[in-house]
Amino acid sequence: MMGLIAAPPGFASTCRQALVLALDVSLSVDPQDFTLQRQGLSSALVDPAVQEAMLRGPGHIELAVFEWSGAFNQSLLVDWTVIDSPATLQKIAWTLLSSEQKTPSGRTALGAALTHARDLLSARGHCETLTLDVSGDGMNNSSHAPDLAKDELEAQGIGVNALVIEASPDQQFEDEPSVGQLADYFYDNVITGPQAFVEVIVGFSAYEEAMQRKLLRELLPSMVERPAAPARRRMRLAHTSDRFVR
């Protein structure tokens, strides 16, 4: 597990954003999905456009990554790290690729995952922006409800965005939400903040591309064109996924 890296001499001392990436490893995430998620995030972090966005000043990014499943199952994969060079991002990517799953697969305690992220971000009060990026493929079925945790995050000025992985119609079980329902659930119960959004994919095979888009949108918010819309209106964009803008 990586720890906080000291910035080199002359490096910008102001933290412009603290970003937590939360990865779902609940029972619905099988070994193939787990691999696609880890590989997808690792590749996204070393994508040239993402690296440029991470390293562009003024100020610097501080990044942490954890995986989550049940109410008491959260494991830190990358501790708070100052992103000061491409080499640092390469090291994080290698850590994610080479480390085994640390959190037991269990129920989907989305609310507990949000609370865990809140505690991590509470230690980054020196950063100008606090952001949680949570990936998930199911609704909360354990511990406290995510909307309660969402209210706590909102009260502390922490923005929450989501990457939702929906099952294709031919792979859904009877008790799983239909296509579109899971995105609506995250929209209503998870995301928060003036620029909060949900990125949606069907299956984990598109995880890498979706994470690239999502990171760029989080890291360069002023460069993303946001059409005017009434609050909570859904908007379909011309991509392989649906995005919902709040």
Side-chain angles (χ1 to χ4, degrees), residues 164-196:
V164 171
I165 306 97
E166 294 191 328
S168 60
D170 61 325
Q171 294 178 324
Q172 285 179 329
F173 296 103
E174 290 184 2
D175 59 344
E176 287 187 334
S178 60
V179 173
Q181 283 186 324
L182 187 58
D184 288 343
Y185 178 83
F186 272 73
Y187 182 89
D188 291 334
N189 297 281
V190 176
I191 69 168
T192 183
Q195 296 179 321

